[in-house]
Amino acid sequence: MAKNNTPSALVSLNKQQIAAVKSENKRVLVIAGAGSGKTQTILQKILYLIHEKNVKPSEILAITFTKNAANEMIDRLLLSYDKSGQYHITLTNKSLSEKEKNTLRRQSMAKIGWVRNVTIRTFHGLCYAILKSYGVPVFDNKFKIITDTGYVDEEMTSIVASETNYSALHKMLIACCDDQQYLIRFKRYVLDYLVDRLHVPHKSSMALSNDNKIYTTLNGTKVRSKSEQYIADWLYRHNLKFVYEPKVTFKDVTFHPDFFVPDANLYIEHVSNLSRGTGLKEKQFFLAGKHLVRTYEEMTRDTSVFNLALDRIIRDKLPDGVISNNVLNYEEEFRGRHNEIRNYLRQLIRVIDMIKVDDKDWVAVYEQATNDPHQRVREFYFLAFPIIQKYIKFCTDRSFLDFNDLNIKAIDLLKNSDEIRMKFFNQYKYVLVDEFQDVNKIQVNFIRTMMNPDAQLFCVGDDWQSIYGFRGSDVQYIVDFRRFFKDAKIISLETNYRSTSSIVDASSEVIRNNKFMLDKVVRAYKKSKSKIEVYTAIDFHDGVEWALQKVKELIKKKINPEQILFLYRRSKMFEPYRERFKKEKLYVNAKTIHAAKGLESKIVFIIGLTHGNGGFPDIWLDDRIYHIIRPVKYDLLLEEERRLFYVALTRAADHLYLITEAGNESVFISEIPEANKSSVAFGIQPNFKNKKECKKCGAIVDIGHKFCSACGAKI
């Protein structure tokens, strides 16, 4: 296309953006901070290549991480030629479905041929195209996509498997539980580590009850110790009913022995090292003609010995034929444990993804796990391995591939076929990768395998916004870009066009507490004297009320509620806010920070900025289960949490409000320079003289109110 027919947009770019667009280096990394015009830069690169360098559109490949990002890139290319404004009207038409917009997008691409000829694909979409075009011998090119996300490229919708990763693994778990010993062991894991959370120190455990009964037995009874748990489990496995700590009265003296076994008319007193003498209790039981036997804590240290002891103690007291092995089944044993099962399988899905992404050997991972000093880790993998084995066979037999499999098999195909690899070498002269900070090992391997060494690799990303480590992304590929791609040129986009100077300066200072990063200077285009407002609430409910009042104030100032965005670490954090706002008939946008990446809003509230479990940063940043596959130091996990905080801060364009709680403030708040923030402590203090506390939720309510304004409960 002739130059005079090209929209000239380079004049709208700054010096760094122009340098990036015009760079001739074979390997280029553009470090594009929040609000620096990353998307504009990569789009202008495409336009520059086609219209100024006369590069054929078919020689350009742009890779994104999501279909939405790919569509956005196509849309912006189309908009650059939308002189009538019609396509802009189409995109902003809220009455049109995504399917209708996709149809109009294809029609517009047909009118502007060169846009259609630029290859703009997601990683998995590109790998899918390779496999469908050139075949997968092991699957005879007739595979299905197995996924939990529900988000696939439009061209893949027809080959999505009826099963999901979760449903398939659940079936495999049930099949494994046909083995009685496996079922018992799995239930013990669920009760110990997913219900009672025994890996959490009891001093900070939510499971610690007032009566100190914190251990769950196989039949659901709560007991005081692991050894008592073992006795109860033995009784359950032998189909013997029992009563825990029954009330027994002799001559106005009440005793609570640990167990009563009705079928044996037998009482059991379990003696721990800390127990007081049981002589009086034994004498009273003897005089009353009741059988009371003692078991000892020391006996439980050798389970085989303890099994024999219980067998000897109890079996002789039973009528013939009473004792038997309890035949267990999955449905009965895990009724009411759906959340725990879901948590385990979600962890397993992540383990499978990590093993594939990091190119690990299944057997080697399992062998390493068996030597881990933590029993919970050993048990997790002992139970996981047979499920994984069945799952692999299940998927292989049905020709199921997940997204990681698409990448892996595409790499194998390119490596094993010179003919196919050369087709890509000859086709693409420019390879552009968006959001490069989110790449993982197999995606980097894919780029290296399919790209001609003489082609230009043009990557755009920001290591300060690398927040998907839990999905397998690895920040080292962008931080150490020159190590993985020799003779690379790195260009930084230093101007933030989104946020005010206060927000830009504060977020930059916070992120510089990280050590593993690329240092860069970020300057704000928008100057402002307004500061980040930090509200220290009395408690959680006070924070909700303050946010409500602040939103009302903003609306009075003619701020559109759609321009207000609430961000949070986890979805459940916003539920009390949602309910409270609903009662006031107020609507605001709300997202997790991960989901908000790439978005911006005029006003942003960040909630849940507290310290501790579930806070920000989360003290349980990652689970040791995953460290078997990818050993990670705590400080690096903390750095990802800080990057997540940075992403949250930089979503705000004009005003930013942070909500924390007194005495439990997030450490990240203290990292914000005092010059950039103003603090409000207890801005909505209740007048306790005319108030009372809701018994259900703890909120402070006016005495005259019949219902709690926070939860709706009757006062």
Side-chain angles (χ1 to χ4, degrees), residues 138-158:
V138 72
F139 289 106
D140 195 27
N141 206 26
K142 295 179 181 178
F143 55 85
K144 296 280 188 181
I145 303 297
I146 184 168
T147 176
D148 273 331
T149 65
Y151 299 106
V152 297
D153 288 4
E154 188 179 4
E155 60 194 318
M156 296 188 219
T157 53
S158 62

Side-chain angles (χ1 to χ4, degrees), residues 30-34 36 461-466 478-479 490-495 504 508-509 511-512 517-523 643 646:
V30 181
I31 301 297
S36 63
D462 182 14
D463 63 299
W464 292 6
Q465 298 185 72
S466 178
I478 188 169
V479 174
I490 298 179
I491 301 170
S492 291
L493 306 185
E494 298 178 349
T495 304
V504 170
S508 298
E509 286 302 309
I511 201 66
R512 285 194 178 94
M517 56 173 282
L518 291 169
D519 196 19
K520 55 181 175 286
V521 176
V522 182
R523 301 178 180 86
R643 292 196 294 269
Y646 172 83

Side-chain angles (χ1 to χ4, degrees), residues 439-459:
V439 295
N440 57 39
K441 184 176 180 179
I442 54 175
Q443 288 163 344
V444 171
N445 287 342
F446 173 75
I447 293 169
R448 285 170 159 176
T449 305
M450 59 76 59
M451 195 181 77
N452 190 324
D454 292 329
Q456 184 184 56
L457 176 65
F458 186 88
C459 302

Side-chain angles (χ1 to χ4, degrees), residues 1 5 46-47 50-51 55-60 74 77-82 104-120:
M1 187 176 293
N5 294 328
I46 295 172
L47 293 171
I50 294 172
H51 301 300
V55 175
K56 295 178 181 178
S58 59
E59 295 176 339
I60 301 171
I74 293 169
L77 288 173
L78 292 171
L79 284 169
S80 67
Y81 282 82
D82 182 32
L104 292 168
R105 184 177 290 112
R106 286 193 298 270
Q107 291 173 351
S108 298
M109 289 170 68
K111 295 177 183 177
I112 307 173
W114 71 263
V115 177
R116 184 183 64 243
N117 292 332
V118 177
T119 303
I120 303 175

Side-chain angles (χ1 to χ4, degrees), residues 50-67:
I50 294 172
H51 301 300
E52 299 295 329
K53 304 297 290 184
N54 294 319
V55 175
K56 295 178 181 178
S58 59
E59 295 176 339
I60 301 171
L61 167 65
I63 306 175
T64 67
F65 276 84
T66 66
K67 188 60 182 175

